[in-house]
Amino acid sequence: MPIKTVKEAINDALVQSFENDKNVILMGEDIAGGKGREQYQGTQDAWGGPFGVTQGLFTKFGAERVRDTTIAEAGFFGAAVGAAMTGLRPIVELMYVDFAGVCFDQMMNQAAKVRYMFGGKQKVPMVVRTVVGAGFRAGSEHSQTLYSLYTHIPGLKVVAPYDAYDAKGLLLASIQDDDPVIFMEHKRLYMTKCEVPDDLKPIPLGKGKIRKSGNDITIIAIQRMNLFAEEAAKKLAEDSINCEIIDPRTYSPLDEELIFESVKKTGKVIVVDESNPKCSLASEITSLISEKCFSDLKSPVAKITAPHTPVPFSPPMEDYYIPSAEKIINVAKNF
Amino acid sequence: MDKKKLNWIYKKLFTIRFFEERIKKIAKEKTVPGYLHTCIGSEAICVGVMAALNNDDWISSTYRNHGHAIAKDCDLKKITSEIYGRKTGICKGRGGSMHISDFDRGMLGSFGIVAAGPPVVLGAALQEKINNGKKMSVSFFGDGAIHNGAFHEAAGLAQLWNIPMLFVCENNGYAEATATDWHLNTKELSDISKAYDMKSYQGNGNDVFEVYKITNEAIIESKNNEIPIFLEFKNYRFSGQYEGDTQLYQPKEEIEEAKNNDPIKLAIENSINHGLNADKLEEIKNIALNEVNEAFKYAETQPWPDPEDALKEVYVSYPKENI
Ligand SMILES: Cc1ncc(C[n+]2csc(CCOP(=O)(O)OP(=O)(O)O)c2C)c(N)n1
Ligand SMILES: [Mg+2]
């Protein structure tokens, strides 16, 4: 079976979606690159976005469907809403999720609400692909995750894959989905690899995944935090603590059943989220468990998150900011 | 022009060029963390505008800020230490290369979000107006930023409210990998100001003396008439978007051609006309290079911040246990 990086898996899913549906288009800043210099050889498709994820799409599918934009996010996000309402399946790239602010209105008030507000006759089948995550030494304005910002809004779906397999399957599903979907790609995971079948089917949104089964402690890990959960679980196994790792994969809708089943079994839960703690996915999942599984709990749900600060630049501070395997192990041992 | 200012201009030009060349080198060696955006080709704009400003006038910058910070007389050692992520950095290691700022030097901030600066500078200028202050307010941004709503909303309000301030657009030919001549809707970039009936001037961004003259006059006009003014300076972005950028989209012929107008080369050629002889020029150059070397030597040996420093200064006042 072919081994793919997350980056390649996403590119594959885009190519496949473009081939299967002529209504799929892609818009974003330098998703091809080299605009205005086409007369020189080798300048087209020079970037493929800052991480090279969309490399090759322009050459394969042309300028009509793969559109470089100006730095006008509110403009092309709004255009995606209108195009989606009238028959296209636009994918728009928000280069870093930190730029959400300049075009959030189009997502929060237009994309999310037209179906409901206008009597259920319309749908907005668009996907926002965006890059999230700390650990890149990229500073406060290029490192946030902001999962909960979108999850909070009724009408938006939120997906955050961990590995290449899920990235491909979930992106295929997101593009086919009839609702607006925010698809979050973690910059520290792009180069991680796993087996991804060429004929992988779309993975339904709203289905979580048990990455490792166990009986003693449930670790619910959000996106990159699965890496630390796996590391911690390995170490804890040496002390005969057998962890179950749950990767919810999508946050709206959330696979609550999968989480509750695991909590019933273990009675001890750690939620790991690299976002800021207040009104976060971690606090949301914790509160759901407290509401629905109170009698199953053997101790209070533990949350491991970033502190309530922006993401700092300097390595020692940023490493301190991000949750770690050690932090998970410490909490697990103190249950 | 008085000798002191002239020497200052040359020293700053050389300092920025040497500094950015050194940054390019350490970027290749991967000795510093994070993204690095250098401004080789922008020296004349940074220095020419700042030469017309007072030390405490307000400016905003972007992720491409090293030249602005140096020309604004921020401490070179502390700038470098910040880029290295050290405790003694100008932002205590919290900002990094993209956010070099020093409020004490009138730098309101270097923002990583394109076009975030103009509205903030509008606010500083409004404050000056309300308080009968004397400080000028200047927002630096790139050609790509003129497509963003934040720029337009700031421009509209500034004109409507009669706010003395300068919108300084550095038209360096590219916004990331997108060429300016493709992304402009108007023939000239500065035509954008016509939508707001805003006064505008264009200049050669490679000629430090032209930049200085235009800016100087614009400041007087802006203050006297209580109006915002849009300045467009044309130059060339020799650097990639960031260090490590392949620059495949910048044709070799174009880069070679642009070298004829390299701002440092032009300034050196011009120096005789301004009464600077070759010896003096060499002396200034050496001082600049020495200061740059000292700054990097300093930064390399500075202590790292404590991890827990991450928790400080999020708010002016807030319960510590809630962070
Ligand atoms: C709102 C927003 N969108 C996109 C980006 C990503 N980005 C960073 S720099 C840049 C190009 C800016 O070009 P220009 O304004 O010409 O400035 P230059 O880099 O040439 O100095 C883009 C698109 C961003 N930082 N902020
Ligand atoms: Mg530019």
Side-chain angles (χ1 to χ4, degrees):
Chain A
M1 205 185 285
I3 306 273
K4 300 267 173 159
T5 62
V6 168
K7 196 171 127 174
E8 290 163 343
I10 291 171
N11 190 284
D12 285 354
L14 290 169
V15 170
Q16 210 168 300
S17 302
F18 263 79
E19 283 168 349
N20 290 347
D21 186 346
K22 66 174 183 9
N23 285 317
V24 172
I25 66 162
L26 181 67
M27 297 189 279
E29 290 146 22
D30 297 300
I31 52 169
K35 243 329 173 213
R37 289 294 176 269
E38 289 90 344
Q39 66 273 33
Y40 299 93
Q41 222 198 340
T43 54
Q44 282 191 9
D45 220 348
W47 261 35
F51 294 91
V53 176
T54 51
Q55 188 96 55
L57 283 159
F58 178 87
T59 312
K60 277 201 192 83
F61 301 106
E64 192 69 5
R65 293 175 72 192
V66 181
R67 309 185 78 91
D68 271 351
T69 66
T70 56
I71 310 168
E73 288 89 354
F76 69 83
F77 270 59
V81 175
M85 287 166 69
T86 54
L88 292 180
R89 285 191 177 270
I91 305 165
V92 281
E93 179 169 303
L94 182 60
M95 195 177 290
Y96 291 82
V97 77
D98 310 70
F99 311 160
V102 298
C103 53
F104 198 52
D105 178 65
Q106 292 297 336
M107 296 314 298
M108 174 178 77
N109 283 323
Q110 281 66 252
K113 296 184 176 46
V114 293
R115 177 172 181 79
Y116 180 81
M117 198 162 66
F118 302 149
K121 289 181 189 151
Q122 304 170 356
K123 56 180 187 177
V124 188
M126 67 181 280
V127 176
V128 177
R129 284 186 43 247
T130 188
V131 177
V132 306
F136 217 69
R137 317 310 187 201
S140 301
E141 295 186 339
H142 290 76
S143 301
Q144 298 167 87
T145 43
L146 304 180
Y147 305 118
S148 59
L149 201 64
Y150 292 102
T151 307
H152 185 70
I153 311 289
L156 302 180
K157 291 178 177 170
V158 179
V159 180
Y162 171 59
D163 63 21
Y165 183 100
D166 285 350
K168 181 170 177 189
L170 288 167
L171 184 53
L172 288 171
S174 299
I175 296 169
Q176 288 176 9
D177 201 275
D178 279 340
D179 291 311
V181 179
I182 318 296
F183 188 87
M184 301 173 125
E185 304 166 11
H186 199 294
K187 52 174 94 66
R188 283 297 304 271
L189 296 175
Y190 271 140
M191 299 314 288
T192 61
K193 299 174 193 181
C194 72
E195 288 188 341
V196 184
D198 286 330
D199 59 353
L200 180 65
K201 296 273 161 311
I203 298 170
L205 307 187
K207 289 272 166 266
K209 183 175 189 169
I210 300 172
R211 288 202 170 270
K212 176 189 172 303
S213 48
N215 297 315
D216 298 329
I217 297 174
T218 300
I219 305 177
I220 300 167
I222 291 155
Q223 205 168 24
R224 181 164 178 248
M225 298 304 104
N226 279 284
L227 179 71
F228 303 139
E230 280 168 11
E231 230 177 282
K234 266 198 204 115
K235 286 263 168 58
L236 289 163
E238 292 167 14
D239 290 331
S240 309
I241 302 174
N242 192 3
C243 299
E244 175 145 300
I245 303 175
I246 303 233
D247 175 2
R249 303 192 293 193
T250 75
Y251 297 93
S252 186
L254 179 70
D255 192 346
E256 298 179 8
E257 265 322 297
L258 188 75
I259 293 172
F260 299 157
E261 281 306 311
S262 180
V263 177
K264 279 200 183 90
K265 188 167 57 171
T266 63
K268 293 177 186 166
V269 191
I270 305 173
V271 189
V272 198
D273 180 0
E274 77 163 88
S275 301
N276 299 119
K278 295 183 195 295
C279 299
S280 60
L281 291 183
S283 55
E284 167 65 9
I285 292 169
T286 303
S287 109
L288 281 171
I289 293 170
S290 314
E291 267 175 56
K292 304 280 174 61
C293 311
F294 188 70
S295 57
D296 301 309
L297 287 173
K298 294 175 189 150
S299 66
V301 179
K303 277 187 302 184
I304 301 175
T305 67
H308 182 58
T309 75
V311 185
F313 161 70
S314 179
M317 290 194 284
E318 194 184 29
D319 293 344
Y320 172 83
Y321 173 97
I322 303 169
S324 63
E326 294 86 85
K327 284 180 194 161
I328 299 172
I329 292 166
N330 280 343
V331 170
K333 285 190 171 168
N334 284 320
F335 261 131
Chain B
M1 183 179 296
D2 73 83
K3 271 255 140 22
K4 218 174 127 206
K5 178 146 262 162
L6 190 68
N7 290 350
W8 182 89
I9 285 176
Y10 276 89
K11 188 180 152 197
K12 287 295 176 189
L13 287 174
F14 288 130
T15 307
I16 297 173
R17 177 62 59 94
F18 287 137
F19 189 87
E20 295 294 61
E21 280 174 347
R22 185 70 180 263
I23 291 285
K24 275 183 158 339
K25 184 164 168 283
I26 60 170
K28 275 218 183 77
E29 299 164 354
K30 298 203 179 350
T31 36
V32 288
Y35 288 118
L36 295 162
H37 304 78
T38 57
C39 70
I40 293 190
S42 307
E43 294 88 348
I45 302 174
C46 303
V47 177
V49 171
M50 245 57 94
L53 294 181
N54 292 321
N55 222 312
D56 57 355
D57 284 339
W58 303 117
I59 68 160
S60 75
S61 180
T62 68
Y63 46 88
R64 203 182 300 288
N65 56 51
H66 303 167
H68 298 139
I70 293 169
K72 201 77 176 72
D73 269 334
C74 296
D75 188 294
L76 200 61
K77 287 183 172 162
K78 290 188 167 175
I79 293 174
T80 320
S81 187
E82 184 63 32
I83 293 169
Y84 275 72
R86 304 305 166 98
K87 197 180 176 77
T88 54
I90 206 157
C91 307
K92 302 177 189 168
R94 285 208 289 264
S97 165
M98 276 201 274
H99 303 293
I100 304 289
S101 303
D102 186 356
F103 194 71
D104 296 336
R105 286 277 177 278
M107 276 185 94
L108 293 165
S110 292
F111 302 105
I113 310 297
V114 165
V120 175
V121 171
L122 168 67
L126 173 67
Q127 177 281 134
E128 291 296 320
K129 187 180 166 92
I130 288 172
N131 287 329
N132 291 316
K134 294 278 175 292
K135 294 183 195 171
M136 194 58 199
S137 306
V138 179
S139 179
F140 288 94
F141 51 92
D143 48 276
I146 62 150
H147 295 288
N148 202 277
F151 159 72
H152 286 274
E153 296 178 29
L157 281 171
Q159 183 71 17
L160 194 66
W161 286 346
N162 298 315
I163 305 288
M165 68 176 282
L166 301 184
F167 292 90
V168 176
C169 183
E170 172 178 330
N171 180 356
N172 60 9
Y174 288 93
E176 286 188 344
T178 297
T180 308
D181 45 24
W182 178 75
H183 75 64
L184 284 187
N185 292 307
T186 50
K187 188 158 167 293
E188 295 294 327
L189 184 146
S190 57
D191 288 345
I192 203 91
S193 62
K194 289 182 183 160
Y196 303 98
D197 209 6
M198 190 187 293
K199 257 285 175 63
S200 76
Y201 299 98
Q202 283 178 310
N204 177 1
N206 294 316
D207 181 347
V208 70
F209 297 103
E210 185 173 322
V211 173
Y212 172 61
K213 184 167 177 285
I214 289 173
T215 309
N216 231 343
E217 289 168 4
I219 290 172
I220 295 166
E221 184 180 352
S222 170
K223 282 186 172 173
N224 285 349
N225 301 350
E226 292 212 60
I227 51 166
I229 293 180
F230 186 100
L231 302 181
E232 175 198 355
F233 294 116
K234 290 188 193 184
N235 69 330
Y236 189 75
R237 198 194 72 199
F238 287 100
S239 307
Q241 159 63 16
Y242 58 92
E243 289 313 300
D245 184 357
T246 53
Q247 294 183 264
L248 290 174
Y249 52 90
Q250 280 176 275
K252 296 235 160 43
E253 307 85 309
E254 186 185 270
I255 298 177
E256 284 312 309
E257 166 102 30
K259 282 183 183 161
N260 296 326
N261 299 312
D262 180 308
I264 305 292
K265 178 175 162 280
L266 291 192
I268 292 172
E269 286 168 7
N270 253 329
S271 56
I272 285 294
N273 304 336
H274 291 278
L276 264 187
N277 64 34
D279 286 350
K280 182 70 189 166
L281 204 61
E282 202 53 31
E283 184 194 320
I284 295 175
K285 215 169 162 174
N286 284 333
I287 294 173
L289 182 59
N290 200 36
E291 281 185 15
V292 169
N293 287 337
E294 288 298 313
F296 280 81
K297 212 183 281 168
Y298 171 85
E300 283 162 6
T301 58
Q302 291 305 292
W304 293 101
D306 297 325
E308 294 82 7
D309 288 351
L311 306 178
K312 291 179 182 165
E313 294 172 328
V314 183
Y315 298 89
V316 174
S317 72
Y318 202 79
K320 216 173 154 189
E321 57 282 9
N322 288 12
I323 293 281

